Amino acid sequence: MLSRGTRLLAGAMVAVCMVLVGPSAPSGALFAGSLPVGAVRDVVPNRVMTWNICNPCEQSNVDRAAEIATYAPQVIGLQEACVRDVEMIRDYLERLHGLVYHVEYGTVLRSWGRCGGVPWNPGAFGQAVLSAAPMTDPVNVEYPDGGSEDRGYMAVTTAVGGRPVRVFNTHLAQRRQEAVRADQVRVLAADVARHDRAVLLGDFNAVPDAPELTGIWALAADTDPQCRPSPTGTCKPTTDWQSKFDYIFLRGTVPLKHRVRPTPYSDHHLLHADLDPGQEALTSLVGLVASYGAVHRVRAVCTGGGVRQRQRRSHRS
């Protein structure tokens, strides 16, 4: 029979091990609260989401997974994402919430300061896309000029609402680098223009009427029909400093509804939209043209016997 001193020593060793290694349950899971009332229990097949998860913010990946599980999107684009964090988020979504996702990464740099690791093998940092459906044709592009930090975009083909769609996820250059973002948008827009149906997610680090976003507005509409690049547009802020930097741009499909949800786990809000995959691209185009106040131009072209198309010059990175 073990002496009292031996039992105390064994208990102390267990406590030390839990501090150094962590519990066998996911980190924080012993104390993680349940999902809020009204949370989604299964993946919503026509829902897409974007979220800059904030790095470095030292937030629990258990909490991040719970935030995602509350709305259970079919597709989510993450920015400022370390591969190690995304792996843990994906694991917790399945183990704690029963939501199974495929994953693709858009790594743009390796940074010990951002993602840990060891100096000779730092963690990978960039974008990631989680999708409940399999993804094909992944592309990862680093912008020729990232600005003060390497930046890029990624793209995959997957299913939203039972229909194939090209999904883009990007993070543009940091604030006060307008010219750099303009060049990045030209690279990104050239790729988006190749697809009739596309969803463009990301943190653009620019407000809706910023000149550098003109190339995106020419191709797609915001998921919020009231948000336009004009003084008459009403755009809900997506950051703690009350600016709209985060977008879900739609090309060839239209939204049914959208929500912006503040979260204590990032300085960027969660933004998600439910899409109507049955709508044709023309519906989105009409809304886009109206946002520029150019309906009379379209009428003039149409009554002249057809709709003219302009050739767009492609830019390769």
Side-chain angles (χ1 to χ4, degrees):
M1 186 173 180
L2 295 177
S3 67
R4 182 173 181 271
T6 302
R7 291 196 303 270
L8 290 174
L9 178 61
M13 289 301 296
V14 169
V16 170
C17 288
M18 289 189 69
V19 170
L20 295 176
V21 180
S24 58
S27 175
L30 294 177
F31 309 101
S34 59
L35 293 178
V37 175
V40 176
R41 298 299 174 181
D42 297 303
V43 167
V44 181
N46 65 330
R47 179 168 293 171
V48 296
M49 177 186 287
T50 185
W51 190 21
N52 182 323
I53 60 176
C54 187
N55 179 295
C57 284
E58 300 182 359
Q59 294 293 339
S60 164
N61 288 314
V62 169
D63 293 329
R64 288 168 168 162
E67 287 286 90
I68 295 170
T70 299
Y71 307 104
Q74 173 81 359
V75 172
I76 178 169
L78 301 175
Q79 302 89 42
E80 294 194 10
C82 298
V83 168
R84 181 180 61 180
D85 288 331
V86 175
E87 288 174 345
M88 296 174 69
I89 291 169
R90 182 188 179 206
D91 183 53
Y92 297 157
L93 282 166
E94 181 173 1
R95 292 168 58 191
L96 302 181
H97 306 289
L99 302 175
V100 179
Y101 286 95
H102 304 267
V103 64
E104 291 287 349
Y105 296 100
T107 297
V108 294
L109 61 87
R110 290 188 170 273
S111 171
W112 181 80
R114 287 279 199 179
C115 298
V118 291
W120 56 89
N121 187 26
F125 173 82
Q127 288 75 245
V129 171
L130 299 175
S131 174
M135 292 176 278
T136 60
D137 303 316
V139 169
N140 182 33
V141 176
E142 185 174 334
Y143 292 125
D145 183 1
S148 55
E149 182 179 63
D150 292 347
R151 293 291 164 94
Y153 76 88
M154 62 179 296
V156 298
T157 297
T158 188
V160 176
R163 294 188 61 188
V165 65
R166 192 67 171 168
V167 176
F168 293 83
N169 182 20
T170 190
H171 189 192
L172 299 188
Q174 295 172 346
R175 285 176 283 179
R176 295 179 293 278
Q177 299 180 70
E178 293 83 357
V180 174
R181 287 196 297 273
D183 289 339
Q184 293 172 349
V185 165
R186 279 190 282 272
V187 174
L188 176 61
D191 197 349
V192 173
R194 297 173 51 243
H195 302 274
D196 293 331
R197 300 188 71 253
V199 174
L200 177 51
L201 311 169
D203 173 4
F204 287 74
N205 271 317
V207 294
D209 61 352
E212 61 264 33
L213 296 188
T214 301
I216 298 299
W217 286 108
L219 295 173
D222 191 87
T223 188
D224 180 359
Q226 303 303 315
C227 183
R228 297 184 290 273
S230 68
T232 59
T234 304
C235 304
K236 296 179 181 177
T238 63
T239 64
D240 287 353
W241 56 94
Q242 299 301 302
S243 293
K244 179 174 173 62
F245 278 8
D246 306 89
Y247 297 83
I248 298 176
F249 284 110
L250 304 177
R251 177 174 169 86
T253 188
V254 294
L256 294 172
K257 60 181 180 179
H258 75 283
R259 294 184 72 182
V260 178
R261 305 298 299 176
T263 168
Y265 308 114
S266 175
D267 54 354
H268 288 252
H269 305 341
L270 290 156
L271 170 61
H272 69 78
D274 293 353
L275 310 185
D276 184 353
Q279 290 289 334
E280 296 297 327
L282 180 61
T283 305
S284 180
L285 178 61
V286 169
L288 178 63
V289 172
S291 72
Y292 277 92
V295 174
H296 65 285
R297 297 177 188 171
V298 175
R299 287 174 181 158
V301 173
C302 293
T303 55
V307 177
R308 294 172 292 182
Q309 294 181 339
R310 293 197 308 170
Q311 294 284 339
R312 290 189 178 89
R313 189 174 181 182
S314 297
H315 296 263
R316 289 182 176 270
S317 60

